[in-house]
Amino acid sequence: MSTHDFPQAVLFDHDGTLVDTEPLWELGKQRIVAAHGGEWTERDTQDTLGRPLATTVERLSALGVPGSLDEVYREFYGVLQAVLEENPPTFIPGVVPLLEDLDRAGIPAAIVTNATSEVARYTASLAPDNLFRVIIGDQEVAQGVRPKPDPDAYLEAARRLGVAPGACVVVEDSPSGAASGVAAGITTVVVPGVQQVLPGPGIVHVADHAALTLDFLRGLAPA
């Protein structure tokens, strides 16, 4: 595969990779737990970061948010919507030039997240029209797609785009997401995030988001 043919699609994580929503998620968790007399701690954050949304909902329930898990999810979703309305997310500096280059080159993209599909669709709406052609999030997980760190989420995104996994690049910031991309057999580029991603086969680290250029991604073309 030549550098001109690679990548044929770029599959992005959402939180911490495209937009800096991690602090907003944190605020939402703190608010809902505090409303019920509890406290969301740094330990809770570390135990749930990068994991399926269901893991966060279970932790919220364990910390005293009442009702069934479905009811906890709905209450949390309402709190999160309020937080996002107060603090509309924007792209992390350095990301926009890459998105514009992908658009000009006609290279499609996807957002693959363990968080909410709706928030991912909002982020997609900020990008050039029709760049993000596939969204994989909690709604797709509810339909049977297995979330990260399982490779299924990234494999499904590639399938829906009609691109072979080996012709894609994954961009991630968490150990769980990087494990998903590598297990899917996709070259995985890691930007700095809240949790350290250790070096390993199939993983390429960059110093910051500004290093994510189309020329850089093309230089990762498989031999």
Side-chain angles (χ1 to χ4, degrees), residues 39-142:
E39 181 184 8
W40 181 274
T41 68
E42 178 62 23
R43 180 72 268 161
D44 298 312
T45 295
Q46 293 302 319
D47 287 348
T48 57
L49 192 64
R51 309 298 298 179
L53 185 56
T55 304
T56 293
V57 173
E58 291 167 0
R59 181 61 63 95
L60 294 173
S61 178
L63 290 173
V65 180
S68 67
L69 292 181
D70 284 343
E71 290 169 331
V72 172
Y73 169 80
R74 287 194 294 271
E75 183 179 350
F76 176 52
Y77 188 72
V79 171
L80 181 62
Q81 280 188 311
V83 170
L84 292 173
E85 288 171 2
E86 296 166 9
N87 307 274
T90 57
F91 286 118
I92 292 173
V95 169
V96 171
L98 173 60
L99 301 183
E100 292 174 341
D101 282 348
L102 294 176
D103 181 52
R104 282 190 289 266
I107 298 172
I111 297 178
V112 181
T113 177
N114 281 345
T116 63
S117 303
E118 186 168 338
V119 174
R121 282 194 290 270
Y122 169 81
T123 298
S125 74
L126 304 176
D129 289 345
N130 202 37
L131 175 63
F132 288 107
R133 302 179 192 176
V134 169
I135 304 292
I136 303 291
D138 69 319
Q139 293 176 3
E140 289 66 35
V141 169

Side-chain angles (χ1 to χ4, degrees), residues 186-220:
I186 304 174
T187 299
T188 300
V189 178
V190 174
V191 295
V194 176
Q195 294 179 316
Q196 181 184 14
V197 178
L198 297 177
I203 293 177
V204 179
H205 283 82
V206 292
D208 53 40
H209 289 72
L212 292 172
T213 66
L214 182 53
D215 285 344
F216 173 77
L217 297 184
R218 282 176 169 158
L220 302 175

